Amino acid sequence: AIIIVFLCLMPWAGQIYDFLAYPMLVALPAGSKMIATGVITPFLIPIKVTLLVAFFVALPVVLYQAWAFVAPGLYSHEKRLIAPLVVSSSLLFLAGVTFCYFMVFGVVFKFINNFAPKSISVAPDIESYFSFVMTMFIAFGVTFEVPIVVIVLVRMGFVTVEKLKQIRPYVIVGAFVIAAIVTPPDVMSQLLLAVPLCLLYEVGLLVAPLFARMTRAPEETA
């Protein structure tokens, strides 16, 4: 599925990279463009971006195939446990990537380019830009998995919801520490990571008890 989607998207690899680069291009001074310092970089980087997009587009098929392989060996209560986690974790990761692209990049790139001295010309290299974007996508995608982590910890009995509520102040501090490490050093981008992390933690606390009741095994119910 990934290969088929990739081959279908190949003719538009340049446009796909342009879409990825749009937040940076908007933040640059009028007429500025990104640069490519490698010989094959103008070809290789759009290919990598297109392959990544192909994976995201084909993700429903990939998840279905994985589920079709595992499901026959599971009990009914195990299916109720795993299926929602697989689907919701994938959707949350994509939500984190989407949030990063549409909300965070505009703030981050604008801050960076406004902070740059007037004596330099800002022309980011496309390979460095791709590396930075992937790092941010992974950071926000993983951050948005916080509700899944909370739900799994509660469901497996490692910790109770009450205990997680007690450590809420430490979680908030940890969220801002993680945001300060992962994001560029401007307050707004740090808030755009830390605040969703805290809110998603609260979502996990709300959903975890309900999920635990819905996925109990027969012997647990008895």
Side-chain angles (χ1 to χ4, degrees):
I2 297 173
I3 293 175
I4 291 173
V5 175
F6 173 71
L7 293 176
C8 292
L9 294 177
M10 266 296 295
W12 296 277
Q15 289 87 338
I16 292 173
Y17 183 83
D18 289 340
F19 178 78
L20 182 69
Y22 180 76
M24 173 60 80
L25 294 175
V26 171
L28 291 174
S32 298
K33 292 184 179 181
M34 303 175 72
I35 62 172
T37 57
V39 176
I40 63 171
T41 303
F43 170 79
L44 189 60
I45 297 301
I47 293 299
K48 289 182 178 180
V49 174
T50 304
L51 184 60
L52 181 68
V53 173
F55 172 76
F56 285 144
V57 173
L59 190 59
V61 178
V62 175
L63 293 176
Y64 172 77
Q65 292 295 333
W67 177 248
F69 177 78
V70 174
L74 301 176
Y75 293 107
S76 58
H77 69 278
E78 291 174 331
K79 292 180 181 179
R80 294 196 303 270
L81 173 65
I82 296 177
L85 291 179
V86 172
V87 174
S88 58
S89 61
S90 302
L91 293 176
L92 285 171
F93 187 89
L94 292 176
V97 171
T98 302
F99 179 81
C100 181
Y101 178 86
F102 287 102
M103 296 293 296
V104 179
F105 282 169
V107 175
V108 171
F109 298 147
K110 184 177 180 180
F111 168 80
I112 292 174
N113 287 291
N114 289 339
F115 188 80
K118 302 300 180 182
S119 58
I120 67 172
S121 176
V122 181
D125 176 64
I126 63 172
E127 190 168 9
S128 299
Y129 177 76
F130 177 72
S131 177
F132 174 81
V133 165
M134 289 302 99
T135 301
M136 293 291 286
F137 278 169
I138 292 173
F140 276 83
V142 172
T143 296
F144 272 57
E145 299 291 337
V146 167
I148 304 299
V149 175
V150 172
I151 290 170
V152 170
L153 290 176
V154 173
R155 177 62 184 84
M156 303 309 258
F158 293 124
V159 66
T160 63
V161 174
E162 289 72 22
K163 183 64 177 179
L164 291 175
K165 290 180 178 179
Q166 291 176 6
I167 64 172
R168 183 184 285 119
Y170 302 100
V171 173
I172 295 174
V173 173
F176 280 89
V177 171
I178 293 173
I181 295 173
V182 173
T183 61
D186 66 290
V187 176
M188 185 57 67
S189 60
Q190 292 174 11
L191 288 174
L192 288 174
L193 179 60
V195 172
L197 200 156
C198 295
L199 294 177
L200 290 167
Y201 182 78
E202 296 298 327
V203 171
L205 294 180
L206 292 174
V207 176
L210 178 62
F211 184 82
R213 289 195 298 269
M214 293 176 60
T215 59
R216 282 197 184 102
E219 58 271 18
E220 292 178 319
T221 305

